Amino acid sequence: MKTVLFIAGLFLNINVYAFTQNATLDFTNLYNSTNAGKYEMSITFISKTTPSVGALKFSTHRDDNDLYCVTEAQFEVGQMTFSLTDVKTGWNFILSKAVLATVSHQADNETCITDVNFFAGEKTLWAQVGLNQAIELPVAAPVGYERVAAYLSPFNGYLNLAAKLTVVNGQLVVNPSTLLTAKSITSQNTQNASVTYYVFASKENTSLSLGTGLIKF
């Protein structure tokens, strides 16, 4: 009985720090009547429950011959698992990766921000959640092409995350345990609450656009 209670408690604890978003992607009637299938997509975020440290990094940006310094710090805030399932055949694609969130500042000149205290306080972090790869779909390609694939970007490829940054022993620290929860994501990402898609057929260096757009969550 103790084992059952422990497992149940662990499951509930994980759910506190997790958030799942679903969408149905209908690619059955694309360009030239191409049927690229119908899919259920899900994306699950699990917040990291221990503090994350971000070191300052510097880069330069040139605009109209003026040089600016960009200072940023990146934090690991959790994990993302993406799943795409063909509703007809059960074919499934799964990808998991760490979610990295960044705070940045561009100076008005070449002088870089080197003081971590500058970034302390309530900040908005930017997290990239695009897949950065095309997913080959399990369907027949149009005549003259070899495959059909899709670029999919949940939340249009990014998340805005409201976080409180603190300085601990000279290091910039964030507690990410609530950053990837339902409350955090839905409140900060109303404008990008959709999945953008680009479906195409290809052969060697040739490609044909079959459809592009977005589907609201």
Side-chain angles (χ1 to χ4, degrees):
M1 176 62 71
K2 288 184 178 179
T3 301
V4 173
L5 291 175
F6 172 78
I7 293 174
L10 180 62
F11 178 76
L12 290 173
N13 189 54
I14 290 175
N15 280 344
V16 170
Y17 302 104
F19 172 59
T20 297
Q21 186 71 71
N22 302 300
T24 299
L25 310 181
D26 189 348
F27 300 147
T28 56
N29 187 25
L30 301 180
Y31 173 74
N32 203 26
S33 299
T34 299
N35 182 352
K38 187 175 183 180
Y39 305 88
E40 291 297 332
M41 186 209 81
S42 72
I43 180 168
T44 297
F45 299 101
I46 299 179
S47 297
K48 184 172 179 282
T49 57
T50 56
S52 182
V53 177
L56 297 186
K57 296 182 179 180
F58 312 98
S59 60
T60 55
H61 170 69
R62 186 177 296 277
D63 184 13
D64 291 334
N65 293 322
D66 291 322
L67 197 62
Y68 302 95
C69 181
V70 178
T71 305
E72 67 176 25
Q74 190 175 76
F75 308 86
E76 182 176 344
V77 297
Q79 185 180 53
M80 177 187 88
T81 298
F82 173 90
S83 175
L84 188 69
T85 303
D86 188 316
V87 299
K88 184 177 181 180
T89 67
W91 170 91
N92 183 243
F93 171 89
I94 297 178
L95 173 69
S96 294
K97 69 174 187 176
V99 178
L100 305 176
T102 302
V103 61
S104 65
H105 174 78
Q106 177 175 296
D108 294 332
N109 50 45
E110 298 180 44
T111 303
C112 299
I113 301 297
T114 59
D115 183 2
V116 293
N117 291 287
F118 176 86
F119 294 97
E122 303 290 339
K123 302 292 180 180
T124 297
L125 307 184
W126 183 89
Q128 196 275 338
V129 294
L131 303 187
N132 295 329
Q133 70 179 79
I135 303 171
E136 186 168 351
L137 302 178
V139 295
V143 175
Y145 294 89
E146 295 179 342
R147 67 174 188 143
V148 174
Y151 283 104
L152 302 174
S153 294
F155 289 94
N156 298 3
Y158 69 94
L159 289 175
N160 292 311
L161 303 172
K164 182 177 182 179
L165 305 185
T166 59
V167 176
V168 180
N169 297 325
Q171 293 183 304
L172 202 57
V173 178
V174 65
N175 177 1
S177 62
T178 61
L179 297 188
L180 297 180
T181 58
K183 181 179 179 180
S184 171
I185 292 176
T186 55
S187 64
Q188 296 292 317
N189 296 275
T190 57
Q191 300 301 313
N192 57 317
S194 59
V195 52
T196 56
Y197 65 87
Y198 170 61
V199 185
F200 64 96
S202 65
K203 178 182 180 181
E204 298 177 348
N205 296 324
T206 303
S207 64
L208 172 67
S209 176
L210 298 175
T212 184
L214 63 83
I215 296 173
K216 291 285 187 179
F217 287 136

